[in-house]
Amino acid sequence: MEVALVRFILIDSFACVMFLPETPPFTTFKGFQVKVFRQGQCNLIERKLQRPVVLFAPPRESVGVFLPRGAWAAEEPLLQAAWNAQGSPTPRRPSASERVYFGKILPIHELPFAGYDDLWLEPDASAMTIAYRRHPDPKRRQQLLQTFERTQLLQHAEKALKTFLPRLERAPRALVVHPLRPRILGQCTRDGEIRLNVSLLQWSPEILEETLAHELAHLTVFNHRPMFWRTLTALLPDWLPRSLAHYL
């Protein structure tokens, strides 16, 4: 009985691998570490990949190539075409005087002795400014950044939620920013609370929308069976290209 149960779990786990890692013909491209994934066996009609998708992740200095089943291995012209289409991104991590804001690296300007503590996004969203009551304080700086990022993420999520509400069978009980493990961007509890990882602020708004749609679909189907993917596709038809970024 135990052997049969283990065998079932192993088979079920293997069958549910969406993308399988593959050894690329070359390991680097313009300073990026290349990772190649081929579509797995359990894909439903809603998740089928019809063409290669290339995703660059400059802050992580990596590029992911996602291939349909049966496609040939990735070649350099494919990466070059994607590189040109995405404006030749420069792989780098933010410095101590910068912060990632929805996928963009913004400089942080500091105003000492302003007479008050505050943090705001410049009107053109090109930079953040931190004002200090007195001299710059690293501890206060971190507190202001954390409060700002949680508020911004929640505001953007609430705005995205309004677009999904007319198509939901069940509305969430609450939408919160919650401490989650680094690789978990979102979570849905059985009582209808949607939890979002503050690290979503490091991704583009499209990833936030995809994560939110994924968790909202769990309000209707609390698993990853076929009905779940149909529900997600109805909420966000182009969820698959967005979700591929998670695999980097």
Side-chain angles (χ1 to χ4, degrees):
M1 183 67 177
E2 291 180 356
V3 174
L5 180 60
V6 171
R7 181 174 179 272
F8 172 79
I9 292 175
L10 289 174
I11 292 176
D12 187 60
S13 299
F14 176 77
C16 287
V17 174
M18 183 175 176
F19 287 91
L20 304 174
E22 184 173 291
T23 303
F26 41 89
T27 58
T28 59
F29 175 80
K30 296 184 181 296
F32 285 85
Q33 179 185 2
V34 179
K35 301 178 182 179
V36 177
F37 302 87
R38 187 176 296 279
Q39 192 175 18
Q41 297 292 325
C42 75
N43 305 89
L44 306 171
I45 187 65
E46 293 89 347
R47 16 187 351 171
K48 278 194 175 180
L49 196 63
Q50 301 297 327
R51 59 182 177 80
V53 175
V54 180
L55 292 166
F56 290 94
R60 292 161 183 79
E61 301 178 5
S62 62
V63 54
V65 183
F66 299 88
L67 302 172
R69 291 182 61 186
W72 293 99
E75 296 180 356
E76 194 162 356
L78 177 68
L79 297 184
Q80 186 65 51
W83 175 270
N84 296 335
Q86 297 185 34
S88 304
T90 302
R92 71 178 182 89
R93 298 179 183 275
S95 67
S97 60
E98 296 174 321
R99 201 75 168 186
V100 181
Y101 179 80
F102 286 116
K104 298 180 180 179
I105 299 178
L106 303 184
I108 298 178
H109 301 152
E110 297 187 282
L111 300 178
F113 305 104
Y116 59 92
D117 291 335
D118 198 8
L119 187 154
W120 63 88
L121 188 68
E122 294 298 327
D124 60 355
S126 63
M128 295 181 187
T129 301
I130 301 180
Y132 298 100
R133 183 181 301 274
R134 295 182 180 177
H135 55 78
D137 181 356
K139 184 176 180 180
R140 183 58 179 153
R141 180 183 190 268
Q142 187 63 21
Q143 291 173 343
L144 289 170
L145 282 169
Q146 289 178 349
T147 301
F148 173 81
E149 290 174 343
R150 287 174 175 272
T151 301
Q152 287 289 307
L153 179 60
L154 196 56
Q155 288 178 354
H156 280 75
E158 289 173 344
K159 183 178 179 181
L161 176 60
K162 291 180 180 178
T163 65
F164 292 125
L165 280 176
R167 289 168 284 164
L168 293 178
E169 296 182 13
R170 175 189 173 194
R173 178 181 63 82
L175 189 63
V176 299
V177 178
H178 192 82
L180 298 172
R181 286 181 292 174
R183 291 187 62 85
I184 298 179
L185 297 183
Q187 191 177 69
C188 177
T189 65
R190 288 194 176 274
D191 65 351
E193 181 178 86
I194 302 297
R195 300 172 176 176
L196 300 175
N197 194 329
V198 71
S199 66
L200 278 164
L201 206 67
Q202 298 180 18
W203 301 82
S204 68
E206 288 76 16
I207 301 302
L208 169 60
E209 293 172 0
E210 186 273 328
T211 301
L212 181 60
H214 186 107
E215 303 310 327
L216 291 172
H218 277 311
L219 294 172
T220 303
V221 186
F222 205 75
N223 54 49
H224 289 126
R225 297 299 181 183
M227 180 59 73
F228 169 82
W229 301 111
R230 287 194 287 269
T231 302
L232 176 56
T233 302
L235 281 177
L236 193 67
D238 66 336
W239 68 268
L240 179 55
R242 305 186 191 203
S243 71
L244 292 178
H246 300 178
Y247 286 84
L248 291 182

